[in-house]
């Protein structure tokens, strides 16, 4: 076998449910999660397994949860190899992206699991509390010998520094916005080929719910088209009723994204895109109810009379539509 390296992910890789199946299968994984909970004095595992996503995505929660999950997977892998009578993997390198470096240090036995989860918890708390109007930029093609001049240009306008050295001649700088903007201008004068501002627009956590919403509507569309071919009214009306779930999901998503935009104007662009996607998916759900009502008409020769299920708010039909007093029915609004 060639040279092996263990590389661990950073924040942003977290997802509700991560490690749950692993802990149920491997005792070593379950023990790792229990040890992480004990070290923190709280059930970070419960967040990793069951969410909610909004809480798991908070920096002070995401980082210890990711570290615990990463080490749980490593220990489960080694225990599975041992159970098969095979030698454990012995990597030549341990590395990680951003906070994944702490996972790498735990894996390499440089620090303990207990210390690792406590360190990244404190790291996350401090990151979450920083709260400054910060910015980042990539500086490309600048001679490394001129980096001190770049740093001095930035520091003259506020907190500023080199955040990452991607490769010779390419660095990422960060700090207070005014300092980064000043350094970006200075970089060109110092000989950099390019200085590019990096977007810090936060990714709205509700994005994870949009694929689920899409799959629900896709299933509705398939079922209603099958019902159309089969002229199956019962199947069509079940699809019609499921549209309420889509409307409820969209209403909840709308409120949450609106809250994100009000709390952090930097999220307006990304949240607007997500709302546009979600609204189009919701409208496809509405079209499935159109088809369901058409199926009812084709089979029974009369319109479907119920007001459509529209989540919490419902639909208010104008005068002249819907059931009439005395039992006589009029077509519902289309």
């Amino acid at each position: 076998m060639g040279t092996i390296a263990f590389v661990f992910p950073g924040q942003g890789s977290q997802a509700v449910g991560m490690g749950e199946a692993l802990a149920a299968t491997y005792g070593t994984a379950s023990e790792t999660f229990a040890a992480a909970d004990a070290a923190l004095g709280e059930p970070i595992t419960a967040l990793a397994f069951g969410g909610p996503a909004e809480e798991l995505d908070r920096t002070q929660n995401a980082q210890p949860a990711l570290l615990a999950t990463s080490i749980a997977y490593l220990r489960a892998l080694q225990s599975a190899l041992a159970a098969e009578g095979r030698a454990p993997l012995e990597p030549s390198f341990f590395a990680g992206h951003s906070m994944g470096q702490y996972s790498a240090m735990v894996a390499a036995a440089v620090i303990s699991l207990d210390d690792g989860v406590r360190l990244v918890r404190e790291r996350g708390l401090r990151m979450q509390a920083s709260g400054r109007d910060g910015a980042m930029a990539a500086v490309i093609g600048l001679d490394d010998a001129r980096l001190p001049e770049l740093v001095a240009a930035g520091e003259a306008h506020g907190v500023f520094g080199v955040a990452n050295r991607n490769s010779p001649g390419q660095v990422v700088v960060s700090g207070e916005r005014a300092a980064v903007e000043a350094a970006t201008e200075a970089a060109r004068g110092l000989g950099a080929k390019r200085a590019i501002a990096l977007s810090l627009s936060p990714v709205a956590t509700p994005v994870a719910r949009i694929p689920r919403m899409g799959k629900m509507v896709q299933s509705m569309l398939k079922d209603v088209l099958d019902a159309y071919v089969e002229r199956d009214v019962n199947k069509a009306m079940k699809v019609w009723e499921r549209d309420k779930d889509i409307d409820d999901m969209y209403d909840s998503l709308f409120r949450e994204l609106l809250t994100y935009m009000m709390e952090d104007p930097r999220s307006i662009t990304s949240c607007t895109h997500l709302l546009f996607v979600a609204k189009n998916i919701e409208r496809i759900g509405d079209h499935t109810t159109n088809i369901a009502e058409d199926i009812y008409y084709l089979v029974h020769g009369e319109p479907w009379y119920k007001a459509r299920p529209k989540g919490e708010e419902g639909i208010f039909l104008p005068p002249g539509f819907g059931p009439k007093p005395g039992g006589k029915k009029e077509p519902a609004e289309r």
Side-chain angles (χ1 to χ4, degrees):
M1 183 179 290
T3 301
I4 297 173
F6 286 166
V7 184
F8 297 90
Q11 186 175 345
S13 306
Q14 72 276 1
V16 173
M18 63 181 185
E20 184 174 14
L22 186 79
T25 305
Y26 294 95
T28 50
S30 179
E31 291 166 6
T32 301
F33 284 117
D37 288 349
L40 292 174
E42 62 180 85
I44 193 67
T45 300
L47 269 182
F49 291 177
E54 294 79 7
E55 286 299 313
L56 178 61
D57 287 343
R58 291 183 182 276
T59 303
Q60 68 264 33
N61 295 327
Q63 295 195 12
L66 274 171
L67 188 148
T69 303
S70 295
I71 300 305
Y73 268 98
L74 174 59
R75 292 178 177 175
L77 171 63
Q78 299 290 37
S79 68
L81 291 173
E84 295 176 0
R86 297 165 61 185
L89 296 176
E90 296 183 0
S92 300
F93 304 96
F94 295 85
H97 176 252
S98 191
M99 62 80 32
Q101 296 173 74
Y102 292 85
S103 302
M105 287 191 285
V106 174
V110 174
I111 59 176
S112 68
L113 173 68
D114 290 5
D115 286 343
V117 293
R118 285 194 287 257
L119 274 170
V120 295
R121 161 55 61 83
E122 183 62 24
R123 181 179 188 265
L125 285 169
R126 290 178 180 269
M127 289 174 65
Q128 194 80 35
S130 62
R132 295 186 179 181
D133 182 21
M136 299 179 73
V139 180
I140 302 168
L142 180 66
D143 188 335
D144 285 352
R146 307 208 69 174
L147 279 176
E149 296 174 73
L150 181 69
V151 172
E155 287 181 337
H157 296 268
V159 176
F160 178 82
V162 175
N164 197 38
R165 293 174 180 259
N166 291 339
S167 64
Q170 184 180 132
V171 298
V172 174
V173 296
S174 65
E176 293 177 320
R177 187 171 300 278
V180 172
E181 290 173 353
T184 301
E185 289 298 319
R188 299 184 180 98
L190 293 171
K193 294 179 180 177
R194 298 180 69 189
I196 309 165
L198 302 178
S199 173
L200 294 180
S201 177
V203 178
T205 55
V207 68
R209 278 191 280 162
I210 290 182
R212 178 168 170 250
M213 188 176 175
K215 288 178 181 177
M216 290 171 65
V217 170
Q218 183 182 33
S219 174
M220 288 171 60
L221 186 58
K222 178 185 181 301
D223 289 347
V224 82
L225 291 177
D226 287 345
Y228 182 86
V229 171
E230 300 162 8
R231 296 297 193 266
D232 187 332
V233 173
N234 289 333
K235 182 183 287 188
M237 291 303 103
K238 286 179 181 178
V239 172
W240 188 90
E241 291 168 354
R242 281 154 60 190
D243 188 49
K244 179 182 182 298
D245 296 332
I246 302 300
D247 292 329
D248 286 344
M249 186 175 291
Y250 175 77
D251 289 344
S252 173
L253 193 64
F254 179 88
R255 286 192 294 268
E256 189 168 357
L257 288 171
L258 191 61
T259 301
Y260 272 97
M261 289 189 278
M262 289 188 296
E263 291 180 348
D264 187 351
R266 295 176 302 164
S267 70
I268 289 175
T269 298
S270 57
C271 288
T272 301
H273 285 303
L274 292 176
L275 278 175
F276 180 79
V277 172
K279 184 61 181 177
N280 277 278
I281 294 173
E282 189 264 344
R283 289 297 295 137
I284 296 171
D286 288 344
H287 288 310
T288 65
T289 64
N290 284 342
I291 299 171
E293 291 171 7
D294 288 341
I295 294 168
Y296 185 93
Y297 183 83
L298 286 170
V299 173
H300 293 291
E302 59 181 12
W304 177 246
Y305 296 106
K306 291 184 180 179
R308 295 185 184 179
K310 297 303 293 182
E312 297 175 358
E313 297 180 0
I315 283 184
F316 296 92
L317 301 180
F321 290 81
K324 292 281 188 178
K328 186 179 178 181
K329 297 177 180 179
E330 293 292 327
E333 184 181 18
R334 294 285 295 178

